[in-house]
Amino acid sequence: MELDELEWEEVESSNISAIAFHAESQRICVRFKDDAVWAYDDCSKELFERFRLAPSVGKFFHVNIKNSHASERL
């Protein structure tokens, strides 16, 4: 998975600048305000859609993704 092949969507958040979903690997990718990029494994498209549409992207991330899915810094 190459970062430039992802379709990044900018989000309103104090900590997260953009998010993307890589369907082939079933990963949610998160770009933080400090430009760090992390990928979270075993994520469904449905989870990504809920994340994308959440009233608070940061809160959704902390509750549903951060500690629930294996991750890797890219």
Side-chain angles (χ1 to χ4, degrees):
M1 176 183 71
E2 297 293 326
L3 292 179
D4 60 358
E5 75 186 41
L6 296 171
E7 290 184 34
W8 290 98
E9 181 173 335
E10 292 185 9
V11 295
E12 290 289 325
S13 171
S14 60
N15 215 13
I16 298 170
S17 62
I19 61 175
F21 183 70
H22 188 256
E24 189 176 311
S25 63
Q26 294 288 288
R27 290 175 125 192
I28 288 176
C29 298
V30 178
R31 178 179 289 130
F32 293 91
K33 297 273 181 164
D34 66 0
D35 284 331
V37 176
W38 286 78
Y40 297 84
D41 297 333
D42 299 317
C43 296
S44 66
K45 179 71 172 174
E46 188 265 338
L47 178 64
F48 176 73
E49 288 301 318
R50 289 177 35 227
F51 182 28
R52 187 175 74 79
L53 299 171
S56 170
V57 172
K59 193 175 290 185
F60 186 94
F61 171 73
H62 283 283
V63 171
N64 298 288
I65 298 171
K66 183 178 181 185
N67 296 319
S68 306
H69 296 269
S71 60
E72 169 189 20
R73 186 170 183 167
L74 302 178

